[in-house]
Amino acid sequence: MTHGASIEEALAVAPSMLEAVRDGVPWLHAAVCEGDAVVLGARQIRSRVVDEAACAQARVTVLRRASTGPAVRLRGPCLAWTLALPHVASLVGDARPETLLNRNVRVLLKGLLAAGAKAAYFGREHLAVAHRPAVALGYDLLPDGRVLIEAFAGWREGFAMEPTIAAARERDTDRWQGRTPVGLAAYVTDGATPASVLETVVARAAERAGRVAVSRVAPAGRAIAEPAGESRTLREGVRVPIGWVDACGGDAPWIGGDALTANVWMDEAAEALGAGREVPAWGVLEGARVDDLARALGG
């Protein structure tokens, strides 16, 4: 566990965590972070999510994480958990790629409940507290079965982005259907602090899992690479339940956007759809359909 880390430092541990689980033991890292940032999902196009000039003027840093899914707005203090698994069923025996989040976020839910927050998972990209979005989720699934789950929560404020720093398309996207995200502070036990909630979640996660290594010191990290779509000419996006699908056509098709999925699978799917083939069977797509990916490529 890390206290007082920057948001950038918390994001950078993901690749090291995925390497650590090669020994067969799940790993959990948790951090109370300071800073003021928008954290893009691994496959989002920044110009379609944030107004970078407005972010610079407001001194809001634009960062990227390793996991897929929509952007998260974080203002310190905030909480970040990084869970890496050797395979999808490492902690919950009946978990499958289709239920990756549904089963594995239970290790976080137990801790949030113990901290006084009435937390639940109703699907897709967040945990709810008192039926309001409170903990943003993202994941990645590697071809060899390793899993990354990242979770982020604000303390005083929720993780929704303010319109003043959002790109035009983002401002027009209704992500929460009237249920504005909330910070945890108002929903946990009186007297709780970010650090105490963090430690409660970690302790209960370890108890729930029975076999999880807790990283007490942040492992050496590295910056998350920008997606290929950032340097390519984009097609018009396709609106989907989770937000948007973005794509680039041509000789090297690329697909990105807000969907929860495996990064490598999305690259393989783009290649297959561009060549008129079926997408690989091993991947799972949440918040969009394969037909949406094909439409985004112009198919």
Side-chain angles (χ1 to χ4, degrees), residues 4 8 149 203 220 293:
E8 190 169 14
I149 297 174
L293 307 188

Side-chain angles (χ1 to χ4, degrees), residues 2 4-15 17 29-34 39 63-66 74 78-83 148 150-152 218-219 221-222 224:
T2 304
S6 69
I7 297 170
E8 190 169 14
E9 288 170 333
L11 297 174
V13 305
M17 300 291 283
H29 179 259
V32 175
C33 304
E34 298 295 338
V39 178
L63 302 172
R64 191 174 296 279
R65 65 179 188 266
L74 297 177
C78 54
L79 295 85
W81 294 275
T82 305
L83 178 64
L148 172 71
E150 294 182 293
F152 308 95
R222 63 176 186 267
I224 307 304

Side-chain angles (χ1 to χ4, degrees), residues 72-183:
V72 179
R73 178 70 169 97
L74 297 177
R75 310 161 183 85
C78 54
L79 295 85
W81 294 275
T82 305
L83 178 64
L85 308 175
H87 57 85
V88 69
S90 297
L91 300 182
V92 183
D94 66 346
R96 309 183 311 278
E98 295 82 0
T99 59
L100 187 157
L101 285 176
N102 179 281
R103 295 297 191 269
N104 286 297
V105 297
R106 294 175 183 178
V107 301
L108 301 178
L109 285 173
K110 185 172 182 179
L112 290 169
L113 290 167
K118 295 180 179 179
Y121 180 60
F122 299 114
R124 230 157 58 190
E125 79 281 29
H126 66 267
L127 304 180
V129 172
H131 295 275
R132 303 276 293 279
V135 180
L137 302 169
Y139 80 79
D140 196 9
L141 174 63
L142 276 61
D144 64 7
R146 285 175 291 157
V147 172
L148 172 71
I149 297 174
E150 294 182 293
F152 308 95
W155 182 245
R156 299 185 186 91
E157 300 180 71
F159 56 76
M161 193 187 326
E162 60 270 43
T164 54
I165 63 170
R169 189 180 78 175
E170 186 69 17
R171 290 196 300 271
D172 292 338
T173 302
D174 179 11
R175 294 195 178 277
W176 315 115
Q177 300 179 324
R179 294 182 175 178
T180 305
V182 296

